[in-house]
Amino acid sequence: MCWLSDDGPVGVPVVPLLGDHPCVALPLAYLSVVDSLLNRAAFCLTTAAGPDEPTLVAVGRIRVRLDLDGSEFGGDLVEQEVRKHPPTRLRAGSLMARRENWWWMSRAVVSLVDVERVHHIPARTRPSDALLVREVDADVSVDVVTAADWSRGVGDEVELWLRDGLDPDGVGEAAFVFGHHASPDYERWERWSRSGTLDGQTLSVTGADGGPDPDPRPFGLFERLRNHRQVERACRAGISAAERRLVR
C-alpha cells in the first residue's frame, strides 16, 4: 500500500483482504504509519494468475478505522489473513492463540472505498526490483524500478531504471523506494527502503533502511522468540497510545 503523507511518499508491505471493500488490517505496531494516512492511497496487488504476471494497482479514496478490540478484524478478515500470512497463522490460527496474542488482533482497518483508477505495472521478479512511490499530477504514483547497486546510503546517489528500461524522469520531487523479501517458509519478512529526491533517473538518498536480501533464511528458535517479543512490545505500545487518545 502506498500513499502521499504530509512528510512525503510512503509505502508499506500489506496483506490484501476483502470486506465490504478491498482493505488491509495493519497491526497497531504501525500506528505512527497509520497516522500519516490522509484520504487517498494506492493498493498494489499481485494477480492470482501467478507471481510473474503484472501487478494490479488501484488508486482511490480510503477510510481508516481503529479496531482496538479486534471485533471487526476477528471475523472473516482474520480468517483470510491466516490463510495468506504465516505470521498471523502462528499468532491467530486458533481461538486460543487469538486470546493469548490479543495484541495481534487490534488493528487499523484501511478500506479502499472508492476506486478511481486501475492500471498494471510489471511484476517484481528480481531481488533488485522495488516500488517507486512519488507524487505525479497531484496524486500518488507507483512504478517498478531496479538499480545496479542498492547498497548506497544517505548522501549517496542511486541510478534508477523503470522495468521497461526507461528513465523515470524525475523533476526533483520527493521519492520513496521500497521492497520486501520472504524466507522460504514465509514467516520471516525483510523490508528495505530508500528515500530522497529524484532528478531524471538519479535518486539522491536522504534516508536508507536495509537492502535487498535475495535469500532471507527462516528464523531459528531464538530468533523466532526474539521477533515475537519485539512485535508484541510494538503492538502493545501502539494499542496503549491509541487508548490514551480515547480518554482525552
Side-chain angles (χ1 to χ4, degrees):
M1 183 172 65
C2 309
W3 65 96
L4 301 176
S5 75
D6 287 336
D7 296 324
V10 184
V12 293
V14 294
V15 181
L17 306 172
L18 183 62
D20 294 336
H21 303 276
C23 64
V24 300
L26 294 171
L28 289 192
Y30 284 94
L31 182 62
S32 62
V33 174
V34 171
D35 287 341
S36 74
L37 283 160
L38 299 177
N39 63 347
R40 296 177 60 75
F43 283 39
C44 305
L45 283 154
T46 300
T47 65
D52 295 332
E53 294 299 313
T55 295
L56 183 70
V57 180
V59 182
R61 184 170 58 88
I62 59 171
R63 178 182 64 215
V64 181
R65 294 189 299 271
L66 288 183
D67 179 30
L68 286 179
D69 64 3
S71 58
E72 181 176 358
F73 177 66
D76 183 59
L77 295 182
V78 69
E79 298 296 342
Q80 292 181 48
E81 194 171 288
V82 163
R83 290 193 295 271
K84 295 180 177 183
H85 193 49
T88 296
R89 193 174 306 143
L90 289 172
R91 298 175 184 136
S94 66
L95 293 177
M96 182 177 296
R98 293 169 198 177
R99 286 194 294 269
E100 180 178 351
N101 301 314
W102 58 269
W103 43 267
W104 191 245
M105 300 298 293
S106 297
R107 297 294 178 112
V109 180
V110 183
S111 302
L112 185 61
V113 296
D114 186 11
V115 178
E116 297 172 5
R117 72 176 190 272
V118 177
H119 64 279
H120 290 88
I121 58 177
R124 285 161 286 152
T125 57
R126 302 173 297 195
S128 59
D129 290 343
L131 289 180
L132 166 65
V133 189
R134 52 183 169 156
E135 181 177 349
V136 175
D137 297 330
D139 203 356
V140 59
S141 173
V142 184
D143 293 294
V144 175
V145 295
T146 191
D149 183 7
W150 286 113
S151 67
R152 298 180 181 276
V154 175
D156 293 329
E157 295 181 341
V158 179
E159 298 301 305
L160 306 182
W161 291 269
L162 299 180
R163 273 297 304 267
D164 57 13
L166 298 179
D167 183 332
D169 290 328
V171 292
E173 71 272 25
F176 183 76
V177 181
F178 75 105
H180 63 283
H181 303 284
S183 58
D185 60 2
Y186 291 96
E187 181 185 349
R188 180 175 193 159
W189 291 86
E190 298 294 342
R191 176 178 177 267
W192 62 274
S193 66
R194 297 290 183 273
S195 57
T197 56
L198 185 65
D199 284 288
Q201 68 186 72
T202 302
L203 178 70
S204 299
V205 181
T206 59
D209 181 18
D213 184 350
D215 189 27
R217 303 314 305 155
F219 285 130
L221 175 60
F222 292 109
E223 289 178 309
R224 180 177 291 111
L225 290 173
R226 182 168 58 249
N227 174 260
H228 183 79
R229 289 167 181 161
Q230 289 172 344
V231 172
E232 180 179 359
R233 284 195 296 269
C235 288
R236 283 174 174 264
I239 293 168
S240 295
E243 289 175 338
R244 285 195 295 272
R245 298 175 185 179
L246 297 178
V247 299
R248 288 178 182 171

